[in-house]
Amino acid sequence: VVASKMTHPKFWDLQLPSGFQGRATSYTFVPRNSREGESAMPTELSIVVASDRRELDEMLTALALVLLGCGGLLLVVTAFTVPRVLKSGLAPLDQLAEQTTRINADSLSNRFPVDVLPGELKPIGERLNDLLSRLQQSFERERQFSADLAHELRTPIAELRSLADVALKWPESRAAQMDRDTLAVAIQMEGIVTRLLELVRSERGQLTVSRESISLGPFVENIWQTFVTRADEKQINVVRNISQDIKIESDAVLLRSILINLFDNAVEYISNGGMIQINAFANGKQFTVEVVNTAENLETQDVPKLFDRFWRKDFARTGSKHSGLGLSLARTFAQASGCNLVARLDDGSRLTVKISGEI
């Protein structure tokens, strides 16, 4: 007899005739008659097998106790170990945070020890060092700015005080020249303060930039005409290569201020009998205005300082009406109007200051 159909086994618990608990499984099937020619009604049969489960229960109980004990031990070990591991692992971060809290304006030169930091904290340490470097440079610039401002204002203030003392001591003998000198000193101080305010406004993005169509050639020529008399007095040889057919879109007020500063610097600091060359041209969609002048007293290392506030070569500082803010203001205005202002010194002691931008 061969089973023709067998169902899935079933499992259940039961009590054995011995009185112990057991585990049973059953299979139900329909036998197939293998004899040919004989027909019979199919009969469904079931086979039940049962076994004592005491050993299984003991093994499961022991396994449960082992798992419970291991779980409890793991919790104890975790509660004891994890805080110490975290404390040890986070110690560099705590040290980094503690060192950060000690940073102030007087300790910006200190740097975080990146080499001893874990790999995960090295990028943070490097970024913090970069930030400290930038802050240090900013603070140094501000300190230098304050010192230069005090230096620039000390002289005109001393002159005003001297003029006032003389006027009070000898009021009946005060000449008209004294009033003119007082006015000149006041104008000089006003110019310094005005330019400083313009620099601050520009750096804060408070400058209003408007664009209009400008004929570059006539625009440059018109501005240069105000310096012709001073150039003739110093017997300066002026060469102008200015294209007359260039149309640009720019802020006329800012561009005028930039060119006035460039021309003023060139005329002021050039030696008698020197040479100034003014070039204005277009190259594709870019326009360029160059002011080239002889500069015997400048050196290559001086060029990056030209745009620093209050910087002037020593030979030009004493007795000059310039405050050293012109080129700094010109670069700020150039950036605000979307242009680029750069300077270079050629081997033949020829200083070239160039402004360029999109037409």
Side-chain angles (χ1 to χ4, degrees), residues 117-143:
L117 291 177
E120 297 81 0
L121 295 180
K122 282 186 177 181
I124 297 177
E126 292 172 354
R127 299 298 182 276
L128 288 174
N129 285 339
D130 292 340
L131 176 61
L132 287 175
S133 179
R134 293 194 297 271
L135 287 175
Q136 183 183 10
Q137 293 174 4
S138 298
F139 271 77
E140 289 177 354
R141 284 197 300 267
E142 292 302 322
R143 291 191 182 102

Side-chain angles (χ1 to χ4, degrees), residues 83-348:
R84 287 161 177 77
V85 172
L86 289 177
K87 184 176 180 180
S88 175
L90 295 178
L93 186 59
D94 293 336
Q95 296 173 2
L96 196 66
E98 183 181 357
Q99 188 174 352
T100 303
T101 59
R102 296 198 299 265
I103 295 175
N104 54 43
D106 298 324
S107 62
L108 293 177
S109 59
N110 297 335
R111 295 295 181 268
F112 294 96
V114 178
D115 295 337
V116 300
L117 291 177
E120 297 81 0
L121 295 180
K122 282 186 177 181
I124 297 177
E126 292 172 354
R127 299 298 182 276
L128 288 174
N129 285 339
D130 292 340
L131 176 61
L132 287 175
S133 179
R134 293 194 297 271
L135 287 175
Q136 183 183 10
Q137 293 174 4
S138 298
F139 271 77
E140 289 177 354
R141 284 197 300 267
E142 292 302 322
R143 291 191 182 102
Q144 186 63 41
F145 171 77
S146 300
D148 290 338
L149 179 60
H151 176 85
E152 292 296 330
L153 292 179
R154 181 178 60 184
T155 300
I157 289 174
E159 291 177 357
L160 282 178
R161 179 176 179 177
S162 176
L163 292 171
D165 288 341
V166 171
L168 289 174
K169 185 172 292 187
W170 297 288
E172 69 285 348
S173 61
R174 188 179 67 181
Q177 183 62 36
M178 183 178 296
D179 294 335
R180 288 192 290 270
D181 292 341
T182 302
L183 178 60
V185 173
I187 291 174
Q188 181 184 359
M189 295 178 64
E190 180 186 21
I192 294 174
V193 174
T194 300
R195 292 194 169 196
L196 286 175
L197 289 175
E198 290 175 341
L199 280 170
V200 172
R201 287 180 57 207
S202 178
E203 291 176 350
R204 291 180 178 178
Q206 297 177 350
L207 282 179
T208 301
V209 180
S210 59
R211 297 193 172 275
E212 59 183 283
S213 180
I214 301 173
S215 296
L216 186 60
F219 188 81
V220 175
E221 291 278 9
N222 181 57
I223 296 174
W224 171 250
Q225 291 304 313
T226 60
F227 296 91
V228 170
T229 302
R230 290 172 56 189
D232 291 341
E233 290 174 354
K234 299 183 72 170
Q235 299 178 349
I236 298 173
N237 179 28
V238 180
V239 179
R240 301 196 301 275
N241 299 316
I242 302 174
S243 299
Q244 300 295 321
D245 56 349
I246 304 174
K247 290 283 189 178
I248 67 172
E249 294 288 332
S250 186
D251 188 299
V253 176
L254 295 183
L255 184 59
R256 178 179 294 275
S257 179
I258 295 169
L259 294 179
I260 286 175
N261 279 300
L262 299 188
F263 294 157
D264 192 30
N265 262 307
V267 174
E268 176 70 19
Y269 295 120
I270 197 173
S271 303
N272 290 343
M275 184 276 296
I276 293 178
Q277 181 176 344
I278 303 172
N279 304 318
F281 56 90
N283 184 9
K285 294 184 178 180
Q286 291 278 328
F287 77 88
T288 299
V289 178
E290 292 180 340
V291 180
V292 185
N293 61 274
T294 52
E296 298 86 355
N297 296 296
L298 281 181
E299 300 175 0
T300 304
Q301 60 267 25
D302 296 330
V303 176
K305 303 175 185 177
L306 290 175
F307 299 101
D308 291 346
R309 298 175 185 177
F310 295 115
W311 186 88
R312 286 174 293 171
K313 194 78 171 178
D314 290 339
F315 76 89
R317 178 174 286 274
T318 305
S320 175
K321 297 180 181 180
H322 285 243
S323 60
L325 289 171
L327 288 180
S328 178
L329 189 63
R331 170 168 278 185
T332 303
F333 284 172
Q335 293 172 346
S337 57
C339 297
N340 188 31
L341 184 63
V342 296
R344 71 174 187 271
L345 187 66
D346 298 332
D347 295 336

